[in-house]
Amino acid sequence: MPTAIDSHEERRLRPAVPASGRGTVLTTRSVAPSESLDYWHDVVLDTLVGMDITTEGRTYDAAMRTDRLGNLQITTVECDPGQVHRTPRAIAHGDGRQVFVAVQGAGRAQVEQDGRTTELRTGDIGFFETVRPFRTVYPERFRMKIFAVPRALLQLPDAGLRQLTGRSIRPTGGLPALLAPTLDRLADTSASYAAPTADRLAESVIDLMAATAADQLGADPAELPGADGVLLLRIRTYIRWHLSDPGLTPAVIAEAHGISVRCLHRLFEAEDSTVCRWIREQRLEECRKELAARPPGSVTLGQVARRWGFTGPAGLAKAFRNSFGLSPTDWRDRVWAGAASC
């Protein structure tokens, strides 16, 4: 007989996610087998949203890793077969403020929401609206990577979200073929990015989610990136992932994307820029953010420079003065002097 665990608040055994730390890992193997299903219910409730969980047995083998990058909460779950149900009763608790954008990492997920059913297979993308009921059946052990994003950042009307749920988006081409592997990799590497990089990556990924959603809803093609635009999005994401590498050259970037250096330069020329200028601007912006966030004396200019791909403090100082008219230290002193006077 299936074992069901409901999502009543009074069934919660313990807080699931520590208040501090990134890349938190939780597993049912940390508790006695007889407590595993109750424990897993509480982990899901605390980390994602309230859901009823049904399994065939009374024990459950599952693990979850969760992290936060900017406005994204990223959760990777790997679990035994089972069924989850986001019920009206759970929705009434008011914890559904985000849209889930999920990529199926392994196994299958049979999804039902807004009157539609679909099956997510490995690599497929699915949108879940948390303010309306949904049911997902996992017939075999599975892995899913779930990105919780504030619905306002997707810039989609409620009617548009209703058209996206209960559908599988297959990464066979276009924007889905860019979004799926980007989400997959970001979920696996999220804990390795410092806060400034994490924020910028989150912004890029949310923009890509919104563009993919608009594409699926049949937006005007003139408002969506074409083939060159998709490639440029991919290249910019790659650059942001590798800003700390001083060896990030046009030749390296072109080779990583299977294009010529001339083609790479052409893509940036269409944006009235150059690839080297764009890399320098991104590095300077990250250095400026770090200098503004760290009190004078807490980090050296050399540390900041090397963290963002400059060969040393002299190179950063020259680029910074050329762009902003001040040395990095003078700029930081002005920022902190202004903050102290407020």
Side-chain angles (χ1 to χ4, degrees), residues 197 238-246 248 278-280 282-283 286 306-310:
T197 300
Y238 176 88
I239 289 172
R240 282 172 172 152
W241 264 325
H242 295 85
L243 278 179
S244 63
D245 181 3
L248 185 65
W278 199 83
I279 293 171
R280 184 172 62 253
Q282 301 308 303
R283 284 174 168 161
E286 297 301 344
R306 284 183 284 273
R307 188 163 14 252
W308 296 111
F310 290 97

Side-chain angles (χ1 to χ4, degrees), residues 26-144:
L26 299 159
T27 173
T28 56
R29 297 183 184 183
S30 65
V31 300
S34 60
E35 299 179 14
S36 58
L37 194 54
D38 283 338
Y39 173 75
W40 188 247
H41 163 263
D42 294 331
V43 167
V44 172
L45 183 64
D46 284 347
T47 305
L48 295 172
V49 291
M51 291 182 278
D52 295 348
I53 301 174
T54 304
T55 67
E56 289 297 325
R58 293 187 175 277
T59 63
Y60 200 57
D61 184 33
M64 171 183 291
R65 188 175 76 86
T66 186
D67 196 4
R68 177 168 290 279
L69 270 67
N71 288 307
L72 286 175
Q73 177 181 300
I74 306 173
T75 305
T76 299
V77 293
E78 186 164 356
C79 310
D80 279 344
Q83 178 180 144
V84 298
H85 185 197
R86 173 75 167 155
T87 63
R89 181 179 57 189
I91 292 168
H93 290 148
D95 58 356
R97 304 180 186 90
Q98 298 170 310
V99 174
F100 291 167
V101 183
V103 60
Q104 191 73 23
R108 294 172 293 149
Q110 297 162 353
V111 180
E112 176 185 347
Q113 189 170 32
D114 292 327
R116 289 182 299 275
T117 60
T118 191
E119 182 172 87
L120 301 180
R121 301 194 295 267
T122 301
D124 288 352
I125 303 164
F127 282 73
F128 296 78
E129 174 58 275
T130 59
V131 297
R132 294 191 297 277
F134 64 79
R135 186 187 306 272
T136 307
V137 177
Y138 302 98
E140 59 203 27
R141 188 166 177 86
F142 70 95
R143 181 171 63 255
M144 179 178 276

Side-chain angles (χ1 to χ4, degrees), residues 102-104 119-126 168-184 212 216:
V103 60
Q104 191 73 23
E119 182 172 87
L120 301 180
R121 301 194 295 267
T122 301
D124 288 352
I125 303 164
S168 59
I169 301 175
R170 309 205 186 281
T172 53
L175 290 169
L178 174 58
L179 179 60
T182 299
L183 295 182
D184 187 65
T212 302
Q216 293 295 307

Side-chain angles (χ1 to χ4, degrees), residues 277-315:
R277 184 194 308 161
W278 199 83
I279 293 171
R280 184 172 62 253
E281 289 171 350
Q282 301 308 303
R283 284 174 168 161
L284 284 171
E285 184 61 24
E286 297 301 344
C287 289
R288 192 161 70 158
K289 284 184 177 180
E290 183 164 352
L291 290 169
R294 291 177 176 266
S298 64
V299 63
T300 69
L301 193 59
Q303 289 172 324
V304 175
R306 284 183 284 273
R307 188 163 14 252
W308 296 111
F310 290 97
T311 55

